[in-house]
Amino acid sequence: MQDYQAILEEIHESLRKFENTGEVASYIPELADIPKDKFGIHLQLITGENYSVGDAAEKFSIQSISKVLSLAKAFQLVGNDLLERVDVEPSGNPFNHLSLLELENGIPRNPLINSGAIVVADVLLSHLKNPKEDFLNFVRELAHDKTISYNAKIAESERITGFNNYAAANLLKAYGNLHNKVEDVLDFYFHQCSIMMDCRQLTNAFFVFANKGKCLKNIQHLTSSQVKRINAIMLTCGFYDEAGEFAFEVGLPGKSGVGGGIVALLPHCFTIATWAPALNPKGNSYLGMQALEQFTTKTKLSIF
């Protein structure tokens, strides 16, 4: 039996001594003032044990991590029909890149880049009676936590600075791959990105992807086939143009967000989340990426 608490503390302590060259995502004004030295890790084993270190209990904006949760809800609602409107190939480009979208006639490369997530948001808008409320309830159900909520200030901050997302949405609309109003789709999208969670809540919400579609309370939310596909998309597309590096160094399906969070998992074994808001040049958490590499190296637990 591994001493997971000692391993997390060792990783946290060693990375605290590192010079943190990352930068907080200042292009979203509401994220710019978060102290860059925040750093937390939370591990949840499939057997129920939990281990924490550092700032793991402090809530942060999950940003693009929410794309996995919206993808899960879309799969739940429309199944594989979703794949007619969004592909599952790695983009090899930054999360907000638009050139491929034009080259490929308005079909986003995958659901974890911005354009793909905007299409997924459009699907949810078409199929949910009260989209923002229903999606938030879905996230709360996965995590079994009614305290999870949107941050209206962050959503508004993204709305007034999200020019690239408006460009992507209008391009999707021009190709007929957006069925609702651009403003309505982006309002939903900005809100999903603004969801506030801490590391433990993230490991709770992502437990379903490590447990064949069953959440912490053993309720079946997704089929094992849907979970397999979502995990594959996370492994190949979860870190934008650093996805290959993450698979190479860490070897887990996972997803990052520009709020500094990363969540990853090993099916049938554990979910783990890190939060360190300073980002590397690819937009992924500088310390979080290293923490997860150290974790899989020390524990010898990865999918490879």
Side-chain angles (χ1 to χ4, degrees), residues 136-153:
L136 185 60
N137 284 336
F138 172 68
V139 176
R140 288 171 170 175
E141 284 168 15
L142 291 184
H144 292 279
D145 191 333
K146 292 181 179 177
T147 68
I148 295 169
S149 60
Y150 297 119
N151 184 317
K153 283 187 175 179

Side-chain angles (χ1 to χ4, degrees), residues 41 64 87 107 117 125 149 184 188-189 198 200 224 248-249 299:
I41 311 170
S64 287
D87 210 339
I107 303 294
L125 236 65
S149 60
D184 294 343
F188 177 87
Y189 175 71
D198 61 31
R200 180 167 188 159
S224 56
F248 186 80
E249 297 289 352
T299 61

Side-chain angles (χ1 to χ4, degrees), residues 8 21 48 55 75 177 183 220 226 234 253 269 294:
L8 293 189
T21 60
D55 301 306
F75 263 137
N177 201 10
E183 293 77 11
Q220 192 86 44
Q226 288 169 339
M234 277 197 274
C269 192
Q294 283 196 29

Side-chain angles (χ1 to χ4, degrees), residues 32-138:
D33 297 330
I34 297 170
K36 67 180 285 185
D37 61 346
K38 295 286 184 181
F39 182 29
I41 311 170
H42 185 87
L43 171 69
Q44 170 143 218
L45 302 186
I46 206 88
T47 47
E49 296 90 345
N50 285 272
Y51 306 90
S52 272
V53 67
D55 301 306
E58 189 166 333
K59 289 193 175 188
F60 56 91
S61 171
I62 69 170
Q63 292 293 315
S64 287
I65 295 172
S66 68
K67 295 171 181 174
V68 179
L69 302 172
S70 61
L71 173 62
K73 187 62 184 176
F75 263 137
Q76 194 186 69
L77 291 167
V78 303
N80 290 340
D81 288 351
L82 179 68
L83 303 179
E84 294 174 11
R85 296 182 56 191
V86 59
D87 210 339
V88 292
E89 290 294 327
S91 70
N93 282 316
F95 55 86
N96 56 0
H97 216 251
L98 294 180
S99 58
L100 278 175
L101 191 57
E102 194 163 15
L103 280 172
E104 295 171 359
N105 299 315
I107 303 294
R109 266 295 170 98
N110 66 71
L112 302 186
I113 53 174
N114 289 17
S115 57
I118 289 168
V119 169
V120 172
D122 184 58
V123 169
L124 297 184
L125 236 65
S126 296
H127 288 84
L128 298 175
K129 285 185 178 177
N130 302 294
K132 282 187 283 193
E133 184 181 332
D134 293 347
F135 178 66
L136 185 60
N137 284 336
F138 172 68

Side-chain angles (χ1 to χ4, degrees), residues 14-26:
S14 71
L15 289 176
R16 275 282 186 213
K17 296 172 183 173
F18 255 57
E19 181 191 357
N20 189 346
T21 60
E23 296 295 335
V24 175
S26 57

